[in-house]
Amino acid sequence: MNTVATVTAVAALFEEHRSRLRAVAYRMLGSLSEADDAVQDTWLRLDRTDPAGIDNLGGWLTTVVGRVCLNLLRSREQRREDPLEIRIPDPVISREDGAAGADPEQEALLVDSVGLALLVVLQSLAPAERLAFVLHDMFHVPFDDIAPLVEKTPAATRQLASRARRRVQGQAPAPDPDITRQRAAVDAFFAAARDGDFEALVSVLDPDVVLRSDGGVARAGLTVAVRGAKTVAAQATTWGKLSPFVRPALINGAAGVVVVPQRQPVSVMAFTVVDGRIVAIEILADPERLGRLDLSALRSA
């Protein structure tokens, strides 16, 4: 077969798997740009490999992108100066009305509605635990295929995923499936903040609610983590003045808002609502990262 024809055929096969690979990388890395880089690296590795020796291309690509992400995570850990820093993963923003024209890539990225709260918890896992959980629990890769990536036996790899699963279930509960119920809680939150109604704020918050905010380098004072309904409510009363600039949106498939006072977003807020109460709030307030967000879906509203 012609070399050019072979490359073209392999490239076409790779494109069939690109969305899945990007979804794997996003869950592993929490960064859209790094996920794209990991997918590109996976393509380069495939381009240097004889496809005739690959029995299951989808499985091969998934394990390769997993290995690429594992190496990136380990490198990230080695150069991190402050292991306690708060970093909110890149949000995926879409319209809440489900209007036509939704980005198919975004839909594929959030096929299982991976919320920001879940991604934050995944960031707290050791790289090998994260890989085992993401590949097995989210993408159904057998432990026998994951084990060589983490240099452990399949049984030990199963234990890695089990530990990660317990952490996720304890710290990132599944949100209410009804988006209308989610939105009702978020609307009640901002109405109470606007009115300065402390008791109403407390009533819409879970007693153990956690708020995480990432202000980046430019707004380091906004990088905080607070827990408890009264503590979070005390913080929230200062946001009442932002209510006129709140634009409802889906943040990673869940009810959230983008705060846009003067055409430029000042924050993205994602909410996890369980049984009608807010159990987690993730806030991205880093001007540099906000400036890179794709808000085209909101602008078309």
Side-chain angles (χ1 to χ4, degrees):
M1 181 181 289
N2 183 286
T3 301
V4 174
T6 302
V7 171
T8 301
V10 172
L13 288 172
F14 178 81
E15 287 304 317
E16 294 178 6
H17 297 278
R18 180 182 289 275
S19 295
R20 173 184 171 89
L21 299 178
R22 190 168 184 247
V24 171
Y26 175 58
R27 286 152 180 74
M28 286 291 296
L29 302 171
S31 165
L32 293 170
S33 61
E34 288 186 347
D36 288 335
D37 290 344
V39 172
Q40 181 62 21
D41 196 353
T42 302
W43 159 249
L44 293 175
R45 296 187 187 206
L46 175 62
D47 191 42
R48 297 192 296 265
T49 303
D50 180 3
I54 301 174
D55 294 328
N56 178 355
L57 181 61
W60 187 90
L61 290 171
T62 300
T63 56
V64 169
V65 79
R67 182 182 291 109
V68 170
C69 292
L70 180 63
N71 291 338
L72 285 171
L73 288 176
R74 286 171 170 169
S75 175
R76 186 190 290 175
E77 278 202 337
Q78 290 173 358
R79 68 174 183 266
R80 181 176 293 165
E81 295 180 0
D82 181 4
L84 300 178
E85 66 180 338
I86 298 170
R87 180 174 173 82
I88 301 300
D90 290 346
V92 178
I93 302 170
S94 55
R95 289 174 60 172
E96 194 170 56
D97 57 13
D103 186 345
E105 283 198 7
Q106 287 190 346
E107 291 180 354
L109 201 62
L110 300 175
V111 65
D112 56 2
S113 297
V114 56
L116 285 188
L118 172 57
L119 289 175
V120 168
V121 175
L122 289 180
Q123 287 184 154
S124 71
L125 302 176
E129 290 178 335
R130 189 167 183 170
L131 180 73
F133 177 81
V134 169
L135 289 190
H136 181 267
D137 284 43
M138 294 184 167
F139 293 94
H140 314 295
V141 178
F143 288 120
D144 285 350
D145 294 342
I146 303 171
L149 303 180
V150 295
E151 300 177 332
K152 292 184 180 295
T153 65
T157 305
R158 185 186 299 273
Q159 288 300 313
L160 288 176
S162 178
R163 286 201 298 269
R165 193 178 306 119
R166 288 195 296 270
R167 180 88 65 86
V168 167
Q169 292 172 346
Q171 298 185 24
D176 287 341
D178 186 346
I179 195 68
T180 302
R181 193 176 186 189
Q182 293 183 32
R183 177 54 60 191
V186 174
D187 287 347
F189 172 87
F190 280 104
R194 181 188 61 235
D195 298 338
D197 190 335
F198 183 82
E199 293 304 321
L201 272 169
V202 170
S203 69
V204 78
L205 298 171
D206 183 85
D208 295 319
V209 62
V210 58
L211 179 150
R212 306 177 188 90
S213 176
D214 176 0
V217 175
R219 305 173 77 185
L222 295 182
T223 298
V224 296
V226 295
R227 183 180 292 274
K230 291 185 177 180
T231 305
V232 172
Q235 296 270 337
T237 55
T238 64
W239 301 334
K241 60 185 178 183
L242 297 177
S243 294
F245 311 112
V246 166
R247 302 181 64 178
L250 290 181
I251 312 299
N252 286 54
V257 304
V258 181
V259 183
V260 190
Q262 293 180 334
R263 298 192 177 185
Q264 292 296 324
V266 297
S267 65
V268 172
M269 301 179 64
F271 295 80
T272 303
V273 178
V274 177
D275 294 332
R277 285 189 170 186
I278 296 167
V279 302
I281 306 173
E282 321 297 334
I283 304 174
L284 177 62
D286 180 350
E288 181 180 350
R289 294 175 62 203
L290 288 169
R292 298 196 299 264
L293 290 180
D294 179 8
L295 300 179
S296 56
L298 296 185
R299 285 195 291 270
S300 64

